[in-house]
Amino acid sequence: MPQTLVLTTPMTGVRLLTLHRPEALNALNTALLGDLAEALEVAAADPDIRAVVITGSRKAFAAGADIHEMAERDMVGILDDPRQAHWQRIGAFNKPLIAAVNGFCLGAGCELAMHADVIIAAEDARFGQPEINLGIMPGAGGTQRLLHAVGKSLAMQMVLTGLPIDARHARRAGLVSELTQPEFTVDRALEIARVIASKAPLAVRLAREAVLKAQDLDLASGLRFERHAFTLLAGTADRNEGIQAFQAKRAPAFTGR
Amino acid sequence: MDFEHILFSIEDGVAFLSLNRPEQLNSFNTAMHLQVREALKQVRQSSTARVLLLTGEGRGFCAGQDLSDRNVAPGSAMPDLGESIDTFYNPLIRSLRDLPLPVICAVNGVAAGAGANIPLACDLVLAARSASFIQAFCKIGLVPDSGGSWHLPRLVGMARAKALALLGNKLSAEQAEQWGLIYQVHDDADLRDEALKLARHLATQPTYGLALIKRALNASAHNSLDAQLELERDLQRLAGRSEDYREGVSAFINKRTATFKGR
């Protein structure tokens, strides 16, 4: 693995991916994006990994895409941009993904954070989509996922002005689930990942899918999907274990079956 | 380190920053703002600074904004004072509040306008007996800035805050001490020595822990009790990992004087 991404497994079932391009505030160049997609695919294929935490440095989660790289591409170059395929691979990751955000989380960095299921942010974090300042616009979900995360008015304000919002604002708007002191952002994200990793994997997987479905299905279809998933879990060993453990007042031992 | 409008040095853990435009009562122009900003940046990046002492040269501490400065001079066009605040005063106040070491302010004379509010963003405010605080903004149709409207009600209560801000009367250093606006008053001749004594003491203390104390107290202004209890837990976790905590406990158990490194 290259040095732009540090992979660790700090606790059973949890993989930590740390973006590491300190010289460029973790700007997401194509190589880093590709490494990230690959690391997520490895984690997806590993039955021992049940949740992934992604973080940057104390100063920046990721401050955008690599502008120098972008400058070299004309319209045809953008059309054939390999980045698009990397983003799709990242978006296809099918296990719980938690972003631990310190400092700058801008442009492609903000878009990456919004690929996560849960965002934990330090009180000094800043979120923004400054693409408009460069005469371009968000191109990796910034105009889509932000709408679901913060609502239309704030999404429009952020996308059209390029002005960032602070962590408290992001928390109020619902972009972020919890604020922490910067020293504890990763700890807290790992803790949430650890709790998720202790649950029944099939239930986690289907519950996550059901929540994601809500973004692109009408309510009736979404409710149908939820009910099917709910019914499917009735056929799992872990459901029986979960209910029995609850009745016997003991901790459940889930097997993922 | 040579600056035109400030005196600045870092010696034996004490960062000393004195506003130095005595002819203009140390009022801020753009150049002085930039020099103060640079000095604070050096303090932040310094591996040796463990306390900051902020004071002024001459008979005044700081008379706020220099009204003849071209950025705010009432010229032909309406000035945008918001821009000056966004660019200079607000970052200065945030910088003093967020500095991860104790900040002592020795108010050596008149402190007016922004100059009356900058000390309130510091941690320990000493003042000369002859010093005074004037919320002069209302006299020229302006609003207390540099955090004044936030600090005043918290420090002296809403009734006194409104009187100070709406009337713009001179508040003596002794009255300010009685009201709890500042920490201590000293005789004029003793002020700088007392401030330096305090700074030298703080330079030997567990700086990292002191920075966490500062963070906790600053955050208390907007936290609920529950949130503050959680913050205390988190900050105590951090403090408990510090070298100085080990040293403090070890010195206590062995009945010797602790030697703190500030980390």
Side-chain angles (χ1 to χ4, degrees):
Chain A
M1 264 331 246
Q3 277 303 293
T4 56
L5 188 62
V6 183
L7 275 66
T8 52
T9 310
M11 51 184 71
T12 310
V14 179
R15 172 73 35 89
L16 174 65
L17 307 178
T18 307
L19 307 174
H20 185 70
R21 287 188 73 213
E23 74 284 356
L25 289 175
N26 291 335
L28 300 170
N29 62 359
T30 305
L32 176 52
L33 214 52
D35 294 342
L36 196 56
E38 190 181 331
L40 287 171
E41 279 164 358
V42 169
D46 185 339
D48 293 336
I49 299 297
R50 296 187 177 180
V52 172
V53 173
I54 182 166
T55 192
S57 65
R58 268 294 292 276
K59 198 168 171 187
F61 177 77
D66 195 306
I67 307 293
H68 305 297
E69 241 180 16
M70 203 187 301
E72 290 164 10
R73 292 203 177 95
D74 59 4
M75 195 193 288
V76 176
I78 296 279
L79 193 66
D80 299 331
D81 194 339
R83 296 174 68 86
Q84 184 52 22
H86 295 329
W87 280 116
Q88 277 167 349
R89 291 162 67 200
I90 292 167
F93 182 63
N94 66 350
K95 289 179 182 177
L97 180 63
I98 295 150
V101 176
N102 286 313
F104 297 110
C105 185
L106 304 173
C110 189
E111 290 171 312
L112 174 61
M114 288 190 293
H115 276 70
D117 301 308
V118 177
I119 303 179
I120 303 294
E123 295 194 329
D124 66 353
R126 294 176 81 74
F127 297 83
Q129 300 290 165
E131 288 88 344
I132 201 85
N133 299 333
L134 303 177
I136 55 173
M137 61 178 276
T143 65
Q144 307 296 305
R145 289 189 174 89
L146 193 61
L147 176 71
H148 293 292
V150 305
K152 178 185 156 197
S153 182
L154 182 56
M156 281 289 191
Q157 179 180 310
M158 288 171 72
V159 168
L160 300 182
T161 66
L163 295 169
I165 58 172
D166 64 27
R168 282 176 192 281
H169 195 167
R171 167 80 186 77
R172 279 199 307 275
L175 178 62
V176 163
S177 69
E178 279 187 22
L179 295 184
T180 64
Q181 296 300 304
E183 293 89 343
F184 292 108
T185 321
V186 176
D187 286 359
R188 181 61 188 150
L190 287 171
E191 171 63 11
I192 287 168
R194 187 192 63 76
V195 172
I196 293 173
S198 73
K199 308 299 180 196
L202 292 168
V204 166
R205 183 170 166 179
L206 287 171
R208 179 178 175 271
E209 268 181 54
V211 174
L212 288 173
K213 279 280 183 259
Q215 296 197 346
D216 45 30
L217 289 182
D218 58 278
L219 179 62
S221 312
L223 289 170
R224 248 197 323 276
F225 179 90
E226 182 191 73
R227 201 64 214 170
H228 285 319
F230 184 83
T231 309
L232 208 53
L233 289 177
T236 63
D238 279 348
R239 173 185 181 266
N240 297 337
E241 168 62 13
I243 290 174
Q244 279 170 13
F246 177 80
Q247 287 170 332
K249 296 188 174 141
R250 59 174 174 82
F254 294 123
T255 56
R257 310 205 69 78
Chain B
M1 285 165 246
D2 280 344
F3 291 104
E4 190 189 354
H5 298 313
I6 59 173
L7 303 177
F8 178 61
S9 63
I10 300 179
E11 279 169 39
D12 302 328
V14 178
F16 176 85
L17 198 174
S18 188
L19 305 176
N20 190 20
R21 297 182 74 222
E23 301 304 306
Q24 293 78 22
L25 291 176
N26 302 325
S27 61
F28 274 91
N29 60 7
T30 300
M32 189 165 94
H33 268 300
L34 292 171
Q35 287 161 31
V36 169
R37 175 181 298 181
E38 175 58 29
L40 289 177
K41 188 172 141 193
Q42 290 184 21
V43 173
R44 252 195 319 278
Q45 291 172 344
S46 160
S47 52
T48 57
R50 287 170 66 179
V51 58
L52 169 66
L53 171 54
L54 175 64
T55 188
E57 295 300 306
R59 59 192 181 88
F61 168 68
C62 175
Q65 175 67 37
D66 186 336
L67 295 178
S68 64
D69 187 52
R70 61 187 164 76
N71 271 347
V72 292
S76 51
M78 278 284 186
D80 179 5
L81 298 189
E83 193 182 6
S84 152
I85 286 177
D86 245 343
T87 311
F88 296 121
Y89 289 100
N90 286 356
L92 169 62
I93 297 301
R94 289 193 182 106
S95 182
L96 291 167
R97 289 255 307 175
D98 296 344
L99 211 57
L101 37 85
V103 179
I104 302 167
C105 187
V107 182
N108 52 298
V110 70
N117 291 329
I118 288 165
L120 308 185
C122 300
D123 303 315
L124 294 162
V125 187
L126 314 183
R129 206 165 297 281
S130 71
S132 57
F133 296 82
I134 310 168
Q135 296 293 329
F137 305 92
C138 58
K139 307 271 193 193
I140 52 172
L142 295 182
V143 175
D145 61 23
S146 304
S149 67
W150 191 86
H151 280 115
L152 285 172
R154 282 171 172 77
L155 292 167
V156 300
M158 191 56 87
R160 285 167 171 169
K162 281 192 172 165
L164 290 171
L166 293 169
L167 300 172
N169 292 342
K170 183 189 281 200
L171 181 74
S172 72
E174 285 177 339
Q175 188 79 73
E177 183 193 53
Q178 280 167 21
W179 283 8
L181 186 72
I182 62 171
Y183 171 49
Q184 268 181 353
V185 173
H186 292 282
D187 291 335
D188 290 25
D190 301 337
L191 176 73
R192 194 167 279 197
D193 285 347
E194 290 290 341
L196 279 167
K197 201 159 73 178
L198 193 59
R200 289 194 193 103
H201 162 72
L202 284 170
T204 67
Q205 294 306 294
T207 312
Y208 178 67
L210 300 186
L212 296 178
I213 292 175
K214 203 174 145 161
R215 249 165 87 177
L217 292 172
N218 285 346
S220 73
H222 58 247
N223 270 350
S224 63
L225 175 61
D226 266 344
Q228 192 70 13
L229 289 169
E230 284 173 10
L231 177 66
E232 285 176 355
R233 175 204 59 205
D234 287 350
L235 297 182
Q236 202 72 297
R237 262 189 190 140
L238 291 173
R241 295 177 193 169
S242 69
E243 281 180 43
D244 283 347
Y245 169 61
R246 277 171 189 262
E247 166 62 12
V249 172
S250 148
F252 177 82
I253 289 170
N254 298 309
K255 299 192 170 68
R256 59 175 176 82
T257 309
T259 310
F260 294 118
K261 294 186 180 138
R263 53 181 190 263

